[in-house]
């Protein structure tokens, strides 16, 4: 009897640390206990409103959709702010040293990344819907003329939310790899903006075509619904693949470096 009890004590529980549910609950508490979370969300709303209004004011195409300003505002500003919120969920813990406690409470690196991704992804999805609706309303009000088709606009709103969710989760992986805020921001800008610009500036068809399969181009294809290149469905799959690759690499590095 005593032998069985001692063996039970030595055997780690499968749900030690509360399992995935406990890890998600902890990440949710940490995320919304920080004032910076609310600052980021409010800043994203301000950028969406101002940018959508500016885009709407300079749009004079009577056939333009009321959702176009919100889509462009997402690509050229809002996505980076939401990604910044995702980044701080990881790099903030490394900066304060609290990552040590986090890894002790959730020793399974895959579970930790999944918990952070689920938490930030759900927040980005919900915030994306609100931000997209705001962009549609403000942008349409600033446009001289526009077309409004409920199904099309609703599809764009949902696309904005999914885009922000995937970009946030991709940033979670990058932040776990780099560990610092400055480094993560640099890698994110290089991956999304600098590398595509460089590839497209080189007069080689192979490199120009390669730039179309990077995350920013894939996300733009998905958001705009443009079928000239490879269409929104392929754009969504490419963006999801980049996100999965980021998390997979982050898990491998976390297991080796932060064991």
């Amino acid at each position: 009897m005593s032998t069985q009890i001692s063996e039970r004590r030595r055997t780690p529980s499968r749900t030690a640390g509360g399992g995935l549910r406990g890890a998600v609950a902890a990440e949710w508490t940490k995320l919304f206990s920080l004032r910076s979370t609310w600052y980021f969300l409010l800043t994203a709303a301000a950028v969406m409103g101002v940018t959508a209004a500016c885009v709407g004011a300079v749009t004079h195409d009577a056939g333009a959709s009321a959702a176009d300003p919100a889509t462009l505002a997402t690509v050229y500003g809002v996505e980076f702010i939401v990604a910044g919120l995702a980044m701080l969920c990881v790099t903030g813990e490394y900066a304060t040293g609290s990552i040590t406690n986090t890894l002790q409470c959730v020793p399974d690196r895959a579970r930790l990344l999944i918990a952070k991704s689920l938490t930030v992804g759900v927040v980005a999805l919900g915030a994306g819907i609100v931000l997209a609706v705001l962009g549609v309303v403000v942008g349409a009000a600033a446009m001289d003329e526009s077309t409004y088709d409920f199904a099309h606009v609703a599809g764009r709103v949902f696309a904005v939310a999914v885009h922000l969710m995937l970009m946030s989760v991709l940033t979670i992986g990058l932040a776990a790899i780099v560990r610092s805020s400055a480094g993560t921001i640099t890698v994110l800008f290089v991956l999304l903006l600098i590398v595509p610009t460089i590839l497209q500036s080189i007069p080689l068809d192979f490199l120009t075509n390669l730039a179309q399969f990077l995350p920013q181009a894939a996300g733009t294809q998905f958001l705009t619904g443009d079928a000239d290149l490879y269409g929104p469905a392929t754009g969504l799959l490419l963006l999801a693949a980049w996100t999965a690759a980021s998390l997979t690499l982050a898990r491998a590095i976390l297991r080796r470096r932060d064991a």
Side-chain angles (χ1 to χ4, degrees):
M1 184 67 177
S2 60
T3 303
Q4 293 177 350
I5 293 175
S6 61
E7 289 179 352
R8 290 176 183 176
R9 289 176 178 174
R10 289 195 300 266
T11 303
S13 173
R14 292 183 179 180
T15 59
L20 180 60
R21 180 181 299 180
V24 170
E27 293 299 329
W28 187 272
T29 301
K30 287 187 289 186
L31 181 63
F32 283 100
S33 63
L34 298 173
R35 284 180 294 179
S36 59
T37 299
W38 303 103
Y39 294 155
F40 271 101
L41 294 177
L42 290 174
T43 302
V47 170
M48 172 62 83
V50 172
T51 307
C54 292
V55 172
V58 300
T59 299
H60 303 290
D61 181 7
S65 170
D68 289 346
T71 300
L72 292 175
T74 300
V75 174
Y76 294 109
V78 175
E79 69 174 359
F80 294 101
I81 298 172
V82 177
L85 172 60
M87 173 194 70
L88 283 183
C89 291
V90 178
T91 59
E93 292 195 56
Y94 278 102
T96 61
S98 61
I99 189 65
T100 301
N101 293 331
T102 299
L103 292 175
Q104 288 176 343
C105 294
V106 188
D108 189 323
R109 275 37 174 179
R111 184 194 302 170
L112 176 62
L113 287 173
I114 291 172
K116 286 185 178 293
S117 299
L118 286 175
T119 303
V120 174
V122 168
V123 171
L125 183 68
I129 293 174
V130 175
L131 293 171
V133 171
L134 173 63
V136 169
V137 173
V138 174
M143 296 170 72
D144 294 331
E145 294 182 84
S146 62
T147 60
Y148 181 84
D149 177 80
F150 179 79
H152 177 76
V153 172
R156 287 286 187 90
V157 168
F158 182 70
V160 167
V162 172
H163 176 81
L164 291 178
M165 177 187 68
L166 290 175
M167 288 300 301
S168 298
V169 177
L170 185 150
T171 305
I172 289 287
L174 292 179
I177 294 169
V178 180
R179 295 192 294 181
S180 72
S181 296
T184 303
I185 292 174
T186 301
V187 171
L188 192 63
F189 269 89
V190 168
L191 179 62
L192 297 183
L193 300 177
I194 306 302
V195 172
T197 301
I198 293 174
L199 292 179
Q200 290 174 347
S201 66
I202 300 175
L204 292 175
D205 291 340
F206 169 74
L207 295 179
T208 302
N209 294 332
L210 180 62
Q212 303 302 322
F213 294 92
L214 294 176
Q216 187 74 335
T220 302
Q221 283 285 306
F222 169 59
L223 278 176
T224 61
D226 189 1
D228 292 341
L229 188 58
Y230 44 69
T234 303
L236 175 60
L237 290 176
L238 283 172
L239 188 56
W242 277 101
T243 302
S246 174
L247 290 177
T248 301
L249 181 59
R251 177 180 178 270
I253 291 177
L254 278 177
R255 292 186 65 182
R256 292 187 58 184
R257 183 189 61 201
D258 299 329

